[in-house]
Structure formats: structure tokens, C-alpha cells
Amino acid sequence: MTRLLQLPFFVILIGVGSLAMYVPAAHAFVVRNYFVSRIFFYGGTLFFLLAVLLAVATAANRPSRGPRNQLLALVGAYTLLPLLFAVPFREAVIDTTLFNAWWEMVSSFTTTGATLYVPERLSGSLHLWRALVGWMGGFFVLLTAISVLAPMNLGGFEVLSGAQAGQGAVVAGAGGPASDPSGRLKRYFVTLFPAYAGLTLILWVALLIAGDRPLTAACHAMSTLATSGITPTGGLGKTGSGVAGEFLIFLFLIFGLSRRLYPSGRAVVTGRALIEDPELRMATLLVTLVPALLFLRHWVGALEVNEVKDTVAAIRALWGTVFTVLSFLTTTGFESTDWAEARDWSGLETPGLILAGLAVIGGGVATTAGGVKLLRVYALYRHGEREIERLVHPSSIGGAGAQARQLRRRGAQIAWIFFMLFALSIAVTMLALSLTGLDFEASTIFSVAALSTTGPLAAVTAAQPLSWAELDTAARAIAVVAMVLGRLETLAIIALLNPEFWRN
């Protein structure tokens, strides 16, 4: 294991990705789709041999351990590795291009979950491949967040420490940016992968018991833990598990709210009990308050159409709202079958703008969720609370410990900078998409969906559902850049451009 991790990071990723191709190859063979099975088998064998040759050629090289090279490896992973995934996908899909296949794989690996293809066009093995790529991308986010970004105070950890982004370490035993990254990758891989794979397996079995087909259950289990929102059926309404399946998915979506629900969470210096975790508390507030306001809005609408006595419809509307709010808060994008029930019950349109706002907020730091992150929103909230308190008591001294004061001061400042960078990224992406011919509404929705890595958002936010397939080549290229930027985060890109990173 130690010798393996001494190889260049990208070579290891190629080897893992090539071996993963045998999974859809085996599935296609079982369902007698021999054409697709051969494509993935040959592709996996070819790329695995390529990985072996690269490993032999680079075995004598001393791996670089600088922060610059680690960030460059992440950029390369999100742009070049999907090209490897796209080759068998391109060969298996009739009448498509390599660019579209690469776009699909970038969307999957960044856990965005946007797609250019209707579900009926792809075989079950191809849906499995999309979900598997998204699942691997989710684990890649978990692993690199704690072992690469955290020691450099990136990815949201800069809010905890209050130090300059790209410097310092907030991970216990990380040893700072100059320490051995291969050792951290090994340590956290051994810690994270059993939990990540085990949770996926548990959800898969639970969905099978609830009534889903094996392929559907596997795709939804992987998409839930990776928060990619990839589905082979086009939505949860076409599954056999029904409300029971939604409830199971709801329980496992909670893992996208806080890093402390994973074993690696205790490696982050925090000192708080789980019940006092700021991300979980902020998420609980949002998942409670937003559905309550939406339900009250629909209740008023039901009064006008005399449907208040329909208790069953009211309960289904409430459940659909709670599930969908949590789904978009974790940037998964699954829409409850009862989300439409709320509209039918009250006669009111469902406000998609609220879902866009939830996706922008996003889930927890060092989780598979995207967005601004709950910890940054919490830091801004505490800073605002403290400023209001000082208006009432100008001479008061903030309590709650040194760490809380650090979060309210320096942490809130960095969180505000990131929020402004995120807003600027949305504005620039909107401008670029508008130059391709999209109107204001469409460019806004596609920008938010790509940067928050919530691909299904495009289909539920606008009055008329938008499709990623309607974008032309230029707009798709812009969307790919936004997906990668949203996954890596703007601060990491700025840190990569820092002259300090390029000095010997």
C-alpha cells in the first residue's frame, strides 16, 4: 500500500477508474447486452495497462509534495480523468460525440448530476456507469477535502482557523502543507472508504427491501451518498419503493450536512459535541423553517380552494416539502413525488427560487455536497448576531470561548469574501452564458445549478423545465468550467494562482 501511494496521484486514479469499468461490463454481460459489455471490458483492460505502464515509467521519480502540485492534481482529476471515463461511454451510446460524453462524465464526477440524455436513451449499464462515476467522485471529494484541502486551509476549513487560505493546518496530525500527502491519503482512505462503501451498501439493501429494482436501488444508493442526484428512472416517482424509499434516502442525505458524521470528522480540530455542531444546527433550522413557511403558504392556498379538509393531501404535501428541501440543501436534487402534491393540493405554483437558494447554501464542509457550505453561512449568521448585540450593549464582550469569537471575527470575514467570490462567479458565468444566446432566467438557473453542483435544479426552478441538452457547444463548455470551479471552489483556484505556490 505504501509503495502504491508513492506513485503519482493521477496514475493511481487512472488505475482505479479503469478497474471500475469492469462493473458495468459485468452488469451488461449478466443482462446479455454483450455489445456494451465488450466495450467496457476492453476499455478497462486498455486503460489499466496504460496505468501499469505509467506506473513503471514513473516508479523511480520522486513524487512532488508541494501544495501547488496537489491542487494541480485536483484540477487534472476533474478535467482529464472524465475523458478516460468518456471513451467507453462514447462507444456505447449511438449518435453522440466525445465532447458530449466527456461533458456527461465531468457532470457525474463533480457530483453535479446534470445530463444531456433522456433516461430511455441509455441502457441500464450506462446508467450504472454514470452513478458509479458520481459515487467515485463523491468519495474523491471526501478524501481530498480532509487530506489535501484541509491542511492548506481551503474548502471551508479556513473559516475554522481564521488563517489565510492556502496556509496552515486545521487537521490533527496533518503536519501542515509540507508533510507527506501520501501518508495522509493512506490514513484517511483506510478510515473513510469502509464507512462510505458500507453506508452505500446498507442503503442499497434497504431500497431493495422497500421494493426497488436492483439497478435502480444501486444507482439511487450511490447517488444519495455522493449527493449527485443521478437516477436511471428520471425521478423518484417511477420507483417501486415509493414513500418508504424516499424516507430511507432522506435518512442517508443527512450525511451531506456535516463532516463529523464521517469517521474523518474527528480529525478536525473543533472541541464541540455533535449536538452542538454548527452545521447540523443550521441545517436543522433550515429544514424546519423553510418547509414550515412553504406549507403555510400552501395551506393558505388550500383555504381558497376549500381543500383544507383533505388531511392526507396535506400530510403528503408536508412530507414532499421536507424531503425536497433537504435534498436540494445537500445539492443532491432529488425531487419528492409528493412535491407536486403540494401544488395540486393548494393550486399554487411551487417556488423554485427557494430551491435555488438552498442549493447555493449547500451542505457541510468536507462532505460530498457543494454550494457555499453551511459553516460559512453559520459564521456570517453569528457575526450578524454579534453586531446586533453590540447595538444594544455597545460595551459587551462576546463570550462562548475563543474558538467561537475567532469564528465570528476572522472566520466571518473569510466567509464573506468567499460568498462574494461565489456571487461574482455566478455573475461571470451568467454573462458568458448570455453571450451564447440564453435569456436572463435560463442563464441564471444554469449558472447556479453548475456552480452549486446541483444539476437537477434546472428542471425544477423555472416555470418551464429547462434541459441541459438544449445548450449549444459553447454553453456546454462554459457549464463544464462552472462545474469544475464549483467543485474545487474559487478560493482553491485563487490559492493556486498565488505566487507563493510557484516559488521553489
Side-chain angles (χ1 to χ4, degrees), residues 156-204:
F157 293 98
E158 72 280 354
V159 177
L160 287 174
S161 66
Q164 182 178 351
Q167 298 180 3
V170 292
V171 179
S179 64
D180 184 12
S182 63
R184 292 197 304 268
L185 287 171
K186 176 186 176 181
R187 181 166 63 253
Y188 292 118
F189 176 87
V190 173
T191 303
L192 275 172
F193 186 75
Y196 186 71
L199 289 170
T200 306
L201 180 61
I202 292 172
L203 180 56
W204 178 44

Side-chain angles (χ1 to χ4, degrees), residues 103-137:
W103 193 98
E104 192 81 9
M105 293 298 101
V106 171
S107 173
S108 298
F109 195 62
T110 58
T111 71
T112 303
T115 181
L116 301 176
Y117 308 95
V118 294
E120 296 77 15
R121 186 177 178 185
L122 304 179
S123 65
S125 301
L126 293 177
H127 283 299
L128 178 62
W129 179 234
R130 292 177 59 236
L132 183 60
V133 170
W135 185 77
M136 291 189 296

Side-chain angles (χ1 to χ4, degrees), residues 318-479:
L318 179 60
W319 163 251
T321 304
V322 172
F323 177 89
T324 306
V325 164
L326 178 61
S327 177
F328 279 86
L329 181 63
T330 57
T331 67
T332 305
F334 282 143
E335 184 180 358
S336 172
T337 55
D338 293 325
W339 178 250
E341 183 71 21
R343 181 176 63 249
D344 298 336
W345 173 58
S346 64
L348 299 175
E349 290 293 331
T350 302
L353 186 61
I354 293 180
L355 299 182
L358 291 169
V360 168
I361 292 174
V365 168
T367 65
T368 57
V372 173
K373 300 297 193 311
L374 287 165
L375 185 61
R376 294 187 176 105
V377 176
Y378 177 79
L380 293 174
Y381 164 75
R382 291 303 303 271
H383 178 73
E385 182 184 51
R386 174 58 183 159
E387 291 301 311
I388 293 176
E389 181 182 349
R390 291 179 63 184
L391 289 176
V392 181
H393 304 286
S395 301
S396 65
I397 300 176
Q403 186 177 15
R405 289 194 295 270
Q406 177 70 21
L407 185 66
R408 288 195 303 261
R409 294 174 184 172
R410 181 65 176 168
Q413 179 185 2
I414 298 176
W416 178 252
I417 292 174
F418 179 85
F419 187 82
M420 290 296 99
L421 289 174
F422 191 87
L424 182 61
S425 300
I426 293 178
V428 172
T429 307
M430 286 175 55
L431 178 61
L433 288 176
S434 64
L435 294 177
T436 65
L438 295 178
D439 58 24
F440 178 80
E441 182 183 25
S443 60
T444 302
I445 293 173
F446 283 126
S447 299
V448 172
L451 287 167
S452 65
T453 65
T454 316
L457 186 68
V460 299
T461 303
Q464 297 296 327
L466 299 176
S467 173
W468 293 93
E470 297 174 356
L471 299 178
D472 58 21
T473 302
R476 293 176 187 179
I478 295 170

Side-chain angles (χ1 to χ4, degrees), residues 204-222:
W204 178 44
V205 174
L207 290 175
L208 283 176
I209 296 174
D212 276 351
R213 297 174 58 190
L215 176 65
T216 303
C219 291
H220 286 172
M222 290 188 288

Side-chain angles (χ1 to χ4, degrees), residues 257-260 276-285 329 363-367 373-376 378:
L257 297 177
S258 174
R259 68 196 176 279
R260 301 192 63 191
E276 298 177 353
D277 183 71
E279 293 179 313
L280 288 177
R281 296 176 67 178
M282 179 61 66
T284 302
L285 176 64
L329 181 63
V365 168
T367 65
K373 300 297 193 311
L374 287 165
L375 185 61
R376 294 187 176 105
Y378 177 79

Side-chain angles (χ1 to χ4, degrees), residues 50-185:
L50 175 63
V52 171
L53 293 176
L54 290 174
V56 172
T58 58
N61 296 343
R62 184 177 180 181
S64 177
R65 300 176 180 180
R68 168 174 59 91
N69 293 281
Q70 295 176 39
L71 290 181
L72 286 175
L74 294 184
V75 175
Y78 284 116
T79 53
L80 299 179
L81 194 62
L83 185 61
L84 178 145
F85 299 147
V87 171
F89 187 89
R90 156 68 181 86
E91 295 298 323
V93 179
I94 301 175
D95 296 332
T96 192
T97 63
L98 182 60
F99 175 80
N100 288 343
W102 173 72
W103 193 98
E104 192 81 9
M105 293 298 101
V106 171
S107 173
S108 298
F109 195 62
T110 58
T111 71
T112 303
T115 181
L116 301 176
Y117 308 95
V118 294
E120 296 77 15
R121 186 177 178 185
L122 304 179
S123 65
S125 301
L126 293 177
H127 283 299
L128 178 62
W129 179 234
R130 292 177 59 236
L132 183 60
V133 170
W135 185 77
M136 291 189 296
F139 180 73
F140 184 72
V141 170
L142 289 177
L143 182 62
T144 55
I146 194 68
S147 59
V148 176
L149 297 181
M152 289 187 283
N153 276 326
L154 294 172
F157 293 98
E158 72 280 354
V159 177
L160 287 174
S161 66
Q164 182 178 351
Q167 298 180 3
V170 292
V171 179
S179 64
D180 184 12
S182 63
R184 292 197 304 268
L185 287 171

Side-chain angles (χ1 to χ4, degrees), residues 20-66:
M21 293 181 186
Y22 291 118
V23 176
H27 177 270
F29 183 82
V30 170
V31 299
R32 300 178 183 274
N33 190 346
Y34 300 122
F35 173 72
V36 174
S37 180
R38 285 195 301 269
I39 289 174
F40 277 96
F41 179 79
Y42 295 154
T45 303
L46 175 64
F47 288 118
F48 183 74
L49 291 176
L50 175 63
V52 171
L53 293 176
L54 290 174
V56 172
T58 58
N61 296 343
R62 184 177 180 181
S64 177
R65 300 176 180 180

